[in-house]
Amino acid sequence: MLPPKPQPRPDHVSLWRYLRLFQQDILSAQPARLYRAWMAEMRTPFFRSYTLNQPELLRIVLNERPDDFPKSSRVGEGLRPLLGNSVFVTNGEVWKRQRRIIDPAFEGGRLRDTYPAMLAAAQAAVTRFSAHTGVMEVEAEASHAAADVIFRTLFSIPIEHEIAARVFSEFRDYQRTQPLLNLAGLIPLPRWLPRPHRRRTRQAARSIRDLITRLTAARMEEILQGTAPDDLATKIMTTADPLTGERFTTEEMVDQVAIFFLAGHETSASALGWALHLLAMFPEVQERAAQEAAALPDAPEFSDIGRLKFIRDVFRETLRLYPPVPMMVREGKCPERFRDRDIRKGSQFVLSPWHLHRHERIWDRPHDFDPERWQTQEGRQCAREAYLPFSSGPRVCTGAGFAMVEGVLLLAMLLRALRFETVPGREPVPVAYLTVRARDGIWLRVTPRESASTA
C-alpha cells in the first residue's frame, strides 16, 4: 500500500496543454521522467528551465555558489501582494541584511524560550481535536493548530485573539487562490505593467497586511514604553543589524511577519495533516508512535522532545514524501555548463524536493512510507545528499529547528489522546497550492484513544 501521489502527465505534451495543467496543479503538470532524471530541460517561447536532481548540481547551486543563483523573480511575482519585500523573495545585500536581523531570534537558546508557548498551542490543539471526534477534515484543524503556534510564539496571543482570528480567516481565503507559482511568473511582463493577480487574491493579501500592520505597530509602541513581552516579535524588532546598527521599520517588519505566518503556519499545517494521514494508513506505525508519546509527562519539558526519536523519524519521513514547499526556483546569473550542456545566462533552475525526495535512482522504495529508513546507513546517506524540506546552504529556512520541534510535539500530544483512521472512499489527492495540500482535504475518523482501545 503506497501513500497517495498525483498522477504525472505524459513526458511529451504541448506547451498549451502544459500551461493548462500548470494552472490546475503544479505537481501533476510535471512529467514522470523527473522521478529518474538527473537534469531535465524545458523550453518555452519565454524562457528555458532546468530541473536539477543530481546531488552534485544541487550542492553547486545551494551551497557552493549561492550568489550566482539568486531566487527567481518568477516566484516573487506571485507572492509579492502578500509578502512585499520579505526575506523569502529578496536577494543579495538586502536579503543578507534581513537574515542578520532575523536569525538571532531562532538560535538554539531562543527556541527553548519559545517552547512554553508552543506547548500551550499543542494542548489547545488536543482540546479542539477532541471536541470534534468522528469523521473530520483534519487539514483545517492542523492549520488552526499551526496558526496558534505562530501567534503565541510571535506575538504572545492565542489564535482566539480578535486580530489573530481574522488573519487566520483571511489567510484561508488567500491560500486556495494563490499557487506557489502562477502564470504571472511564467510569462515575462514589463515591470510597469500590473501583474494579473486574481481580485480575491489581492483583496485577501491587502486585508492580511492591514491586520499584521496593526499588530506590529502596537508592538512597536509597547517596545517604546518598555512593556513588550519577550517573544519572537520583540526579539526581531529590537535586534540591530550588526554591520549598520539599523533595525526593521514597521513596514519592513510587516513584510517579515507575513512570511513568518506563511512559512511557519502553512508549511507546518501541511506537514501535520499528511503525517496524520500516513499514521492512519499504517496503524502499526501509529501504535508504536503512540506508545512513545504515552511515556511523556502530561506537560512535557523541552528536554523531553529529544526522547521522541521514532516520532521524529515519522515526521522526517512525512517531510520526505510530502515536502510542504515542493519546488524552489533559482535564476542563473552566469552562463553555466551542467552535464555537458551549455546553459544560457538568465535560465531558470527548478529544485524540486518533491521529485528529489522520491527519486528512483537515489532512494530505496522511494514512494513507500518507511520511518525506519532514517536509522539505516543508506537512509542517512540519502538524507545528506537528497533531502531538502527546508532548502540548504545560506538560504536554509531559519525556522527549520523550530518546525522540527513543533511538528514532533504536536504529533506526540495528539497521539497521546486520539487515534486516527482512514475513511473509505476519501483518499486525499496531493496538489500544490501555496504548499502541498489535499485537493478536497484530509478526512479521517478521530476517536479518543481510551474509548477506541476499549472498543
Side-chain angles (χ1 to χ4, degrees):
M1 181 170 56
L2 294 178
K5 69 183 183 73
Q7 186 67 33
R9 70 167 173 82
D11 283 343
H12 301 288
V13 297
S14 67
L15 175 62
W16 174 246
R17 174 65 174 156
Y18 173 76
L19 292 176
R20 290 188 63 187
L21 288 169
F22 188 97
Q23 273 193 302
Q24 296 169 13
D25 169 45
I26 300 171
L27 295 179
S28 55
Q30 307 308 311
R33 64 192 171 102
L34 293 185
Y35 290 110
R36 58 184 181 273
W38 288 133
M39 184 170 81
E41 180 180 4
M42 177 182 175
R43 299 187 183 192
T44 78
F46 314 112
F47 64 91
R48 291 187 182 183
S49 74
Y50 299 83
T51 298
L52 305 181
N53 284 324
Q54 187 173 348
E56 292 81 1
L57 299 181
L58 294 170
R59 278 197 295 272
I60 291 171
V61 172
L62 293 174
N63 301 85
E64 297 173 10
R65 294 168 46 205
D67 287 346
D68 291 339
F69 300 93
K71 274 208 171 180
S72 172
S73 60
R74 298 181 192 279
V75 175
E77 296 292 358
L79 298 175
R80 201 167 296 280
L82 176 64
L83 302 185
N85 207 36
S86 80
V87 69
F88 185 77
V89 297
T90 54
N91 285 302
E93 293 305 314
V94 173
W95 172 81
K96 291 176 183 178
R97 170 183 174 268
Q98 291 171 335
R99 285 294 295 255
R100 289 195 297 267
I101 296 174
I102 292 169
D103 285 357
F106 291 90
E107 292 172 350
R110 293 296 302 183
L111 184 56
R112 181 183 292 272
D113 293 341
T114 63
Y115 177 78
M118 197 182 290
L119 175 62
Q123 292 168 330
V126 172
T127 299
R128 284 193 301 272
F129 269 82
S130 299
H132 302 288
T133 53
V135 174
M136 62 184 295
E137 200 286 289
V138 300
E139 268 195 338
E141 287 297 338
S143 294
H144 203 146
D148 198 17
V149 170
I150 288 299
F151 279 112
R152 288 177 189 264
T153 57
L154 193 61
F155 283 108
S156 298
I157 56 176
I159 190 67
E160 289 79 14
H161 183 280
E162 176 192 1
I163 296 180
R166 288 182 60 190
V167 172
F168 178 59
S169 175
E170 293 284 352
F171 191 83
R172 281 185 297 180
D173 293 337
Y174 179 88
Q175 182 229 11
R176 298 277 174 162
T177 66
Q178 176 57 65
L180 182 65
L181 294 169
N182 66 3
L183 294 183
L186 284 180
I187 302 173
L189 298 171
R191 291 194 176 276
W192 52 266
L193 192 65
R195 268 40 186 174
H197 299 294
R198 298 170 184 169
R199 182 179 179 184
R200 280 181 59 201
T201 302
R202 295 195 307 269
Q203 289 176 337
R206 185 163 52 249
S207 179
I208 292 168
R209 288 183 63 85
D210 287 347
L211 292 166
I212 292 174
T213 299
R214 289 172 57 185
L215 287 174
T216 305
R219 175 54 55 86
M220 187 71 78
E221 184 62 28
E222 290 175 328
I223 290 171
L224 293 175
Q225 294 178 0
T227 59
D230 184 23
D231 52 24
L232 290 177
T234 296
K235 175 63 176 175
I236 294 168
M237 294 173 73
T238 57
T239 296
D241 179 355
L243 297 187
T244 66
E246 297 175 347
R247 293 179 170 84
F248 283 144
T249 64
T250 299
E251 181 64 23
E252 288 176 315
M253 188 63 186
V254 170
D255 291 344
Q256 308 314 325
V257 171
I259 186 56
F260 296 154
F261 187 73
L262 170 61
H265 148 256
E266 178 69 11
T267 57
S268 295
S270 167
L272 180 59
W274 287 113
L276 293 174
H277 176 71
L278 289 168
L279 290 170
M281 281 189 70
F282 298 91
E284 70 285 357
V285 177
Q286 181 178 169
E287 290 311 304
R288 181 177 169 185
Q291 289 175 16
E292 187 178 71
L296 291 176
D298 290 341
E301 300 288 339
F302 181 76
S303 58
D304 292 323
I305 303 303
R307 295 161 45 195
L308 302 174
K309 299 186 184 302
F310 185 66
I311 294 178
R312 180 181 175 86
D313 286 343
V314 167
F315 195 65
R316 293 170 77 184
E317 182 72 345
T318 301
L319 292 173
R320 184 186 71 83
L321 287 171
Y322 301 100
V325 179
M327 295 181 186
M328 303 174 281
V329 187
R330 301 290 189 265
E331 184 171 321
K333 291 175 62 176
C334 315
E336 301 291 341
R337 186 167 178 81
F338 285 168
R339 295 188 60 80
D340 298 324
R341 192 176 307 182
D342 291 320
I343 299 175
R344 300 175 183 173
K345 173 184 176 181
S347 294
Q348 305 295 300
F349 295 95
V350 179
L351 318 178
S352 175
W354 178 272
H355 294 96
L356 180 69
H357 291 181
R358 295 170 176 261
H359 203 278
E360 295 163 4
R361 295 162 73 177
I362 298 175
W363 298 87
D364 178 44
R365 297 172 294 109
H367 303 292
D368 286 17
F369 174 61
D370 180 16
E372 293 187 357
R373 75 171 73 238
W374 296 97
Q375 297 306 317
T376 67
Q377 183 176 349
E378 181 182 18
R380 288 191 288 267
Q381 180 65 25
C382 289
R384 287 190 290 270
E385 294 187 350
Y387 187 62
L388 298 175
F390 303 107
S391 190
S392 183
R395 292 202 79 128
V396 68
C397 175
T398 192
F402 182 103
M404 289 303 298
V405 173
E406 174 190 4
V408 171
L409 174 64
L410 284 169
L411 272 181
M413 296 296 285
L414 289 169
L415 289 173
R416 280 168 52 87
L418 301 163
R419 177 173 280 115
F420 299 87
E421 300 170 280
T422 57
V423 178
R426 286 288 185 94
E427 182 178 80
V429 177
V431 293
Y433 294 114
L434 280 172
T435 53
V436 176
R437 293 292 198 138
R439 176 173 287 123
D440 299 309
I442 296 176
W443 292 84
L444 299 176
R445 184 178 302 280
V446 183
T447 53
R449 189 155 284 276
E450 297 81 4
S451 62
S453 61
T454 300

